[in-house]
Amino acid sequence: MTNHVLLYTNAWIRRIDLLSKMLVPLAMAAITTGFKPLIATLALSGFAFVDMVLELILFMHVRKHHPRLLQPKDLPTSDSDTDPDHHIAGAELTSPVLVYLRHPVLLASLAMAALY
């Protein structure tokens, strides 16, 4: 696939993802307030099941038609000088948790997690 096709596909997937993040809470609120709890639970379970089946079918379709995605990616070289987050005081490695806790977007990330 060309880079243009990947960018186009990624943009559409992001749009779908953002739209679903906005509409799903509204739909869930409407279903849970408009119907009895048992009916609302069954409806939401049905939507989840249909979504799961659809995602599996689409996933298998993509794997079948794009075998290049099944190939393993090239592993990065072990040159520690290319990634400054993986060493402190020379060659000492940091844990991913420490890198995350020191990251400048930590508070924004925690705020976003609290919303969900």
Side-chain angles (χ1 to χ4, degrees), residues 51-62:
D51 179 54
M52 179 188 70
V53 170
L54 184 62
E55 283 188 27
L56 287 174
I57 290 170
L58 293 174
F59 178 73
M60 290 174 10
H61 176 77
V62 168

Side-chain angles (χ1 to χ4, degrees), residues 65-111:
H65 289 19
H66 302 285
R68 186 174 176 200
L69 294 173
L70 297 174
Q71 297 173 353
K73 294 183 180 180
D74 294 332
L75 295 176
T77 60
S78 62
D79 187 11
S80 63
D81 293 333
T82 59
D83 193 1
D85 290 335
H86 287 295
H87 64 85
I88 292 179
E92 195 175 319
L93 294 176
T94 63
S95 75
V97 174
L98 291 176
V99 171
Y100 177 72
L101 291 175
R102 293 180 186 147
H103 204 276
V105 297
L106 171 67
L107 294 178
S109 175
L110 291 176

Side-chain angles (χ1 to χ4, degrees), residues 1-21:
M1 274 192 227
T2 64
N3 195 24
H4 181 304
V5 173
L6 292 175
L7 290 174
Y8 180 78
T9 304
N10 190 29
W12 269 105
I13 289 174
R14 286 179 186 238
R15 287 183 191 122
I16 292 169
D17 185 49
L18 289 174
L19 186 64
S20 66
K21 285 182 180 179

Side-chain angles (χ1 to χ4, degrees), residues 33-55:
T33 58
F35 297 100
K36 294 179 182 179
L38 178 63
I39 295 172
T41 303
L42 291 175
L44 293 175
S45 298
F47 287 141
F49 180 75
V50 169
D51 179 54
M52 179 188 70
V53 170
L54 184 62
E55 283 188 27

